[in-house]
Amino acid sequence: MHSVDPTTEQMIRAVLAYAENRLRLDPVPLDGGNPDQAVLDGALTGLLGDEPHNPDQVLGAYTSVVAPAVISADSPRFLGFIPAAPTKASLLFDMLVSCASIQGISWLEAAGAIRAENLVLRLIADRAGLPTQAGGCFVSGGSAANLSALVVAREVAKRKAAGAAPPGGRRLRAVVSADAHSSITSTLRILEMDALIVTTGDHRLTGPALRAAIEADGDPASLAVVVATAGTTNAGIIDDLAGAAAVAREHGLWFHVDGAYGGAGLFAPSVRRAYDGIEHADSFVLDPHKWLFAPFDCAALLYRDPALARSVHKQDASYLDVIHSDPAQWNPTDYAYHLTRRARGLPLWFSLSVHGVSAYTQAIETAIRLAGRAAAEIGKRGYLELIREPDLGIVLFRRTGWTDAQYTDWADGLLRDQVAFIPPSAWEGETVARFAFLHPHTSMDLVREILDRMG
Ligand SMILES: Cc1ncc(COP(=O)(O)O)c(C=O)c1O
């Protein structure tokens, strides 16, 4: 298994040939039939057992049955949820990172990889206007990043409260918008925190709404953190970050900004002003596996004061003392809830270095422009209604008179015909249609074709 024998040679040729073909797909097709589980089991049953199998047979099961049953999130026709659009460079380098088995825990083990990753984190921190001491690490996704950041927020609040009047069994709370991502709700459940939910008419958290909610609240002393979103998942709304930051500061609360989806807009001059105030974040999350065109899985987690995060997340064990012997050395493990970690920032580092940041700016601007053009196209059609002008790459709209079932039939038909993956969403309790534009090769012709099929 660990030597280079004829079977290894055979696998190298076959797997790399498959990877090469996949990399050369341009455009990546949508794929994703929804076969019966019996079909999958028919091909897979028996492969896992005590006896070996010829690698060509196993790869054959993958290519003929497994892969076609996966919708390609990196297809320009994938317009649901939050798509992916990893650059070819990042995909290639991801293979290299896998082959190199880089253990990205500590400076001791992986100084080179960590330095390269940290330069990417610095690039993101600069775009956000975070101070020079800001830092963090790459984790698996926005959910993991939100959890790690809010753990720090909660511990900092607990430390501040120590010595004050006993909390009387009260749980700490976070002030969140009703439109915050579902991972924030999960995080609060895990942390045994409650939410003070702020609702606004246009779904955008603002400083005044936040201030009014805190002033009207009967127990402001139990608040630990304000969570704002820079690009809500369902509608792409950027909260009033400057206003939220000011209120958080007034009340001595941690200010967390979830930019897992929309944080990449920091690289787009056309919308950069909407992020003003992000420079005050105590913690900030941006998922490169979304709109910075990195492969799954990659989320950037940054702290204004990384020493606070280290004081919460650093794992102590006698066998780990060696990685902490020099306090000047940066250990990514110290900044999130993880120990072993893939150096998942490296594919982004490689691709950014190869293509240059300007290419990223252009690709992000392309999705924003496409959202604007799609909104205009919706406005031209009497049977459609735009729900709100898009801020970023997400467009919500309704087909007047349609039932939920009609939206489902329309979406199913588009996937069946390999036109697009565009599952319906909901807005204020109503089923609606939603474009999530991210891939720079999604075309206006495709948008028109999708809209025509609603007529
Ligand atoms: C705003 C926001 N936060 C958090 C997440 C969770 O990120 P992940 O799916 O990488 O865990 C998402 C995912 O879409 C998101 O849009």
Side-chain angles (χ1 to χ4, degrees):
M1 290 200 293
H2 295 87
S3 54
V4 181
D5 58 16
T7 306
T8 307
E9 292 291 359
Q10 182 187 349
M11 286 190 291
I12 289 174
R13 279 192 302 276
V15 173
L16 288 185
Y18 178 85
E20 259 190 73
N21 286 337
R22 182 74 174 63
L23 282 165
R24 290 210 170 91
L25 292 175
D26 183 14
V28 172
L30 200 49
D31 294 326
N34 189 9
D36 207 274
Q37 189 176 316
V39 175
L40 295 172
D41 288 348
L44 300 178
T45 304
L47 289 178
L48 290 180
D50 286 341
E51 298 309 316
H53 292 88
N54 186 302
D56 287 345
Q57 183 194 348
V58 184
L59 185 61
Y62 177 79
T63 57
S64 63
V65 178
V66 176
V70 175
I71 302 177
S72 300
D74 54 345
S75 167
R77 295 177 181 275
F78 189 109
L79 304 172
F81 308 131
I82 301 292
T87 64
K88 303 290 184 191
S90 68
L91 290 169
L92 271 163
F93 212 76
D94 204 49
M95 289 169 56
L96 184 153
V97 170
S98 290
C99 294
S101 292
I102 298 169
Q103 167 56 289
I105 289 181
S106 66
W107 187 264
L108 173 70
E109 293 159 284
I114 291 165
R115 185 64 194 141
E117 284 191 310
N118 284 355
L119 289 171
V120 178
L121 289 172
R122 187 63 248 160
L123 183 74
I124 295 171
D126 282 342
R127 291 295 164 137
L130 289 170
T132 49
Q133 83 272 8
C137 60
F138 288 99
V139 297
S140 64
S143 305
N146 281 330
L147 173 63
S148 289
L150 293 189
V151 168
V152 180
R154 186 192 61 174
E155 291 306 304
V156 167
K158 277 163 60 179
R159 286 176 197 168
K160 275 193 200 159
R170 287 191 325 240
R171 286 156 53 117
L172 287 171
R173 293 186 301 156
V175 199
V176 302
S177 138
D179 292 72
H181 187 258
S182 48
S183 62
I184 299 292
T185 313
S186 299
T187 290
L188 296 183
R189 194 167 47 240
I190 294 167
L191 298 183
E192 298 196 336
M193 292 175 75
D194 295 313
L196 170 58
I197 297 175
V198 183
T199 45
T200 57
D202 65 355
H203 299 254
R204 180 172 180 260
L205 182 71
T206 61
L210 193 58
R211 184 175 290 107
I214 295 176
E215 282 170 5
D217 185 61
D219 188 14
S222 66
L223 297 175
V225 52
V226 170
V227 177
T229 310
T232 60
T233 319
N234 199 30
I237 298 167
I238 303 164
D239 288 340
D240 164 20
L241 302 177
V247 176
R249 210 166 334 118
E250 276 165 34
H251 291 271
L253 304 175
W254 185 275
F255 181 45
H256 175 70
V257 178
D258 178 1
Y261 156 61
L266 288 169
F267 289 78
S270 70
V271 292
R272 177 59 185 85
R273 284 205 56 198
Y275 295 80
D276 284 356
I278 200 165
E279 66 278 9
H280 300 299
D282 291 301
S283 49
F284 169 50
V285 171
L286 183 162
D287 280 5
H289 68 206
K290 295 185 168 71
W291 213 1
L292 277 186
F293 313 115
F296 299 129
D297 48 15
C298 182
L301 167 59
L302 284 160
Y303 301 92
R304 164 176 300 279
D305 181 355
L308 282 176
R310 194 172 55 239
S311 72
V312 173
H313 284 297
K314 178 171 156 275
Q315 295 196 20
D316 290 314
S318 45
Y319 81 101
L320 290 176
D321 284 350
V322 63
I323 70 171
H324 293 121
S325 55
D326 180 350
Q329 293 185 346
W330 193 271
N331 299 313
T333 182
D334 295 343
Y335 300 96
Y337 177 68
H338 58 189
L339 185 59
T340 295
R341 65 176 287 280
R342 174 180 175 75
R344 53 172 63 83
L346 283 184
L348 177 60
W349 164 79
F350 180 74
S351 182
L352 276 167
S353 305
V354 167
H355 293 294
V357 178
S358 303
Y360 279 70
T361 293
Q362 281 171 29
I364 295 163
E365 292 283 16
T366 299
I368 295 171
R369 260 196 319 274
L370 189 60
R373 291 180 68 195
E377 187 69 33
I378 288 163
K380 283 191 222 154
R381 295 168 185 245
Y383 55 91
L384 298 177
E385 279 173 14
L386 186 67
I387 288 171
R388 61 185 308 286
E389 282 299 328
D391 292 342
L392 296 172
I394 295 176
V395 185
L396 286 171
F397 60 106
R398 69 170 60 83
R399 165 65 168 86
T400 51
W402 264 12
T403 61
D404 294 1
Q406 284 173 297
Y407 280 104
T408 305
D409 288 349
W410 164 77
D412 288 351
L414 287 166
L415 181 59
R416 189 186 54 240
D417 299 344
Q418 291 286 288
V419 174
F421 177 68
I422 179 166
S425 184
W427 183 253
E428 299 182 346
E430 173 196 357
T431 299
V432 297
R434 172 178 175 275
F435 283 116
F437 296 119
L438 190 147
H439 200 299
H441 292 172
T442 302
S443 71
M444 217 26 225
D445 284 345
L446 175 62
V447 171
R448 286 191 205 96
E449 184 180 353
I450 292 168
L451 298 181
D452 285 348
R453 288 178 62 144
M454 300 179 106

